[in-house]
């Protein structure tokens, strides 16, 4: 259902160009992916108007993880902060878009379906026509969950695996303990 089916279209009845893999023109025939975008009223939208359709909550796990992986593979990034030149003290996975609505749904999907909590969208406007929003996954246990459940492809997959293999968690030497004060009843208003 949904994205997974669109991505897995094999027999479209149309020939593809051997070198580019693109569909060959067929006298007005519509690309099946374009047809699906038109059906969902998403064709021709600007980037800031795009959304993830509500029926995604009915999709199977593989379809949802493939869609999320596709988002991060195209408009996402994986990076680390170095502590000593050889190992990384932090590894991050992030995704950015001009569509705040799409990012909100993506954050909820990660949290509800996979228990991966991304940061609140960070707004960036400097030098941009429209606000650009970015979320990131940066806690170690959630980055590892992301790695196990969300497929990345190509160079991002290779980079992510390299970063994870050289990820040395920051060792904290001084611990501070915080205690909650006992709450006292102060009366009724």
């Amino acid at each position: 259902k949904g994205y997974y089916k669109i991505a897995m279209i094999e027999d479209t009845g149309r020939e593809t160009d051997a070198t580019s893999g693109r569909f060959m023109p067929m006298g007005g025939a519509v690309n099946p992916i374009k047809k699906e975008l038109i059906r969902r009223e998403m064709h021709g939208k600007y980037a800031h108007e795009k959304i993830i359709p509500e029926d995604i909550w009915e999709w199977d796990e593989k379809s949802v993880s493939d869609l999320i992986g596709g988002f991060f593979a195209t408009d996402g990034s994986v990076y680390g902060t170095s502590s000593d030149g050889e190992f990384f003290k932090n590894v991050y996975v992030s995704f950015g878009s001009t569509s705040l609505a799409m990012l909100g749904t993506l954050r909820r999907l990660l949290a509800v379906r996979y228990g991966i909590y991304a940061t609140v969208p960070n707004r960036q406007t400097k030098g941009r026509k429209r606000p650009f929003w970015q979320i990131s996954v940066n806690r170690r246990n959630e980055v590892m969950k992301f790695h196990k459940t969300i497929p990345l492809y190509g160079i991002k997959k290779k980079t992510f695996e390299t970063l994870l293999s050289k990820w040395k968690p920051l060792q904290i030497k001084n611990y501070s303990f915080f205690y909650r004060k006992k709450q006292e009843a102060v009366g009724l208003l």
Side-chain angles (χ1 to χ4, degrees):
K1 189 167 189 166
Y3 172 81
Y4 187 64
K5 275 195 170 175
I6 292 171
M8 298 306 292
I9 293 173
E10 291 179 14
D11 184 19
T12 61
R14 294 183 61 190
E15 292 181 38
T16 56
D17 182 295
T19 55
S20 69
R22 295 182 179 187
F23 287 114
M24 300 291 286
M26 275 187 57
V30 179
N31 177 318
I33 296 171
K34 182 178 178 179
K35 194 183 284 187
E36 182 65 17
L37 290 172
I38 291 168
R39 184 183 75 77
R40 292 177 178 271
E41 298 178 358
M42 291 173 50
H43 183 263
K45 299 267 185 180
Y46 290 104
H48 67 278
E49 300 172 323
K50 297 200 177 183
I51 61 168
I52 297 173
E54 280 302 310
D55 67 349
I56 194 163
W57 298 101
E58 300 166 14
W59 294 8
D60 62 80
E61 292 301 312
K62 176 145 179 48
S63 300
V64 174
S65 64
D66 282 345
L67 176 69
I68 294 171
F71 279 137
F72 279 86
T74 54
D75 289 331
S77 61
V78 294
Y79 55 97
T81 55
S82 180
S83 58
D84 63 4
E86 184 179 348
F87 293 101
F88 294 95
K89 63 180 179 179
N90 291 314
V91 173
Y92 305 92
V93 182
S94 67
F95 175 77
S97 174
T98 57
S99 173
L100 184 58
M102 184 171 73
L103 278 181
T105 305
L106 183 59
R107 272 185 79 223
R108 283 192 308 280
L109 275 172
L110 285 167
V112 172
R113 285 288 185 92
Y114 305 101
I116 299 170
Y117 297 94
T119 58
V120 173
N122 178 22
R123 181 181 174 154
Q124 301 170 5
T125 56
K126 193 173 185 175
R128 303 188 79 81
K129 182 178 177 181
R130 298 201 180 278
F132 180 79
W133 303 89
Q134 187 170 10
I135 61 172
S136 63
V137 177
N138 53 19
R139 292 186 192 106
R140 184 174 180 85
N141 63 330
E142 293 172 19
V143 171
M144 298 310 284
K145 261 193 249 183
F146 188 96
H147 181 255
K148 271 198 284 189
T149 56
I150 308 297
L152 288 181
Y153 307 96
I155 190 70
K156 286 186 185 156
K157 177 181 181 174
K158 185 177 178 182
T159 302
F160 195 29
E161 290 172 354
T162 301
L163 289 169
L164 291 177
S165 71
K166 294 182 175 190
W167 191 2
K168 184 177 178 183
L170 184 63
Q171 300 295 317
I172 300 173
K173 293 180 171 70
N174 297 325
Y175 295 96
S176 297
F177 293 95
F178 297 91
Y179 298 96
R180 177 175 279 185
K181 283 188 175 181
K182 183 177 177 185
Q183 295 181 355
E184 301 173 18
V186 292
L188 298 173
L189 296 177

